[in-house]
Amino acid sequence: AAASASRKDDHVRLAAAQRREPATRNDFDDVELVHHALDGIDASEVDLRTRVAHWTWRSPLYLNGMTGGTPKTTAVNRELAVAARETGMPMGSGSIGIALDDPDAAAGFRVIREENPAGLVFANIGVGRSADEARRAVDLLEADALQVHLNAVQETIMPEGSRAFSGWAASLEAIVAASEVPVIVKEVGFGLSRRTLERLRDMGVRLADVSGSGGTDFARIENARRSASDYAFLIGHGSSAVRSLLDAPEDGPTPLGSGGVRTPLDAVRALALGARAVGVAGAFLAPAVSGGAAEVVAVVRTWTSQLRDLHALFGAPTPEALLTKDVLVHGGVREFCELRGIDARALARRSEDQ
Ligand code: FNR
């Protein structure tokens, strides 16, 4: 438990440090909404409300699952929870696994609900747990949904990580079948492929957060924590949110987009590529660590206001309307589309079908 606790502190420290570096290029830079100079509408006409499962969210932004369970991360969770309450933003917790058998750690997660009694809260658990453990995680937070994370790359790099993945599908199926709240299956920064999304669909999963590469990089974080032999060669492995969203099957789970979202423009790009809502972890963690809830609230308000302005600029009265806007994909993303048989040319001219 002690090793697990110090890991949680390391994750927050190293992820926040990654954010203080200059924003790095990622696949969102290869996604360009074509500028049509006469297409703009009034910002006052924009309605950012978004339907996800049976909810209507006031904006498509949500705070993705990160942390909890140690004194330091409990303090971070308190700041994030207050910010979620003040902005009405849905919020995920960090993995509750460590709290299932440790009442002291449990308090570090419960703070998310205590500070935000009426908010939309997601519990979080790693795949491989039993349906009963998943239910206990939901109960701990009186959660409205359950995030189940798939993190095989991270486990491989962590010295204390698992290397036994063959039971994951059965675990997931059992959790999904038994859960009384919607299940959101997510990656932790390595993306979900078409094949994975099809398998999730067949298991009855309705919501999947692709959580791709290009933002918080657990390969880098775990390598920074290791002392001896490392897995530096896995840094950058995986698929970005952009690629995952392009690859997503039409009849798959409702896609949520996260991983590498640095700005409101990245959020617009994710929405235009099919994300129903957009998750942000690292970019909202940094202000929580440096300035607490007030700073997170200020950042979220700026993002929301800019998100509205960008909808007006692109002539999209709703997030859904972004799905009819012309999008150019460049560079490695274009190559990905060619190799995966995705029609990037149709994407570039889709406003003509309107
Ligand atoms: C995470 N993430 C994460 N995900 C999860 O499902 N369970 C978890 O316990 C954690 N823990 C965690 C800790 C910290 C400090 C960070 C920054 C992130 C992953 C997170 O939800 C998200 O998938 C990735 O961080 C990618 O998004 P960003 O950071 O690029 O916006």
Side-chain angles (χ1 to χ4, degrees), residues 130-159:
S130 69
D132 184 58
E133 288 172 312
R135 184 188 49 74
R136 286 168 58 207
V138 169
D139 288 349
L140 183 70
L141 291 189
E142 298 163 65
D144 303 283
L146 173 67
Q147 292 185 320
V148 181
H149 65 263
L150 311 178
N151 65 337
V153 181
Q154 184 190 13
E155 293 290 340
T156 299
I157 299 169
M158 285 197 299

Side-chain angles (χ1 to χ4, degrees), residues 1 5 39 44 100 125 136 148 168 258 264 278 281 292 295 309 327 343:
D39 274 7
S44 61
L100 288 177
I125 198 160
R136 286 168 58 207
V148 181
W168 277 16
S258 80
V278 178
E295 201 165 310
D309 294 347
V327 173
D343 191 353

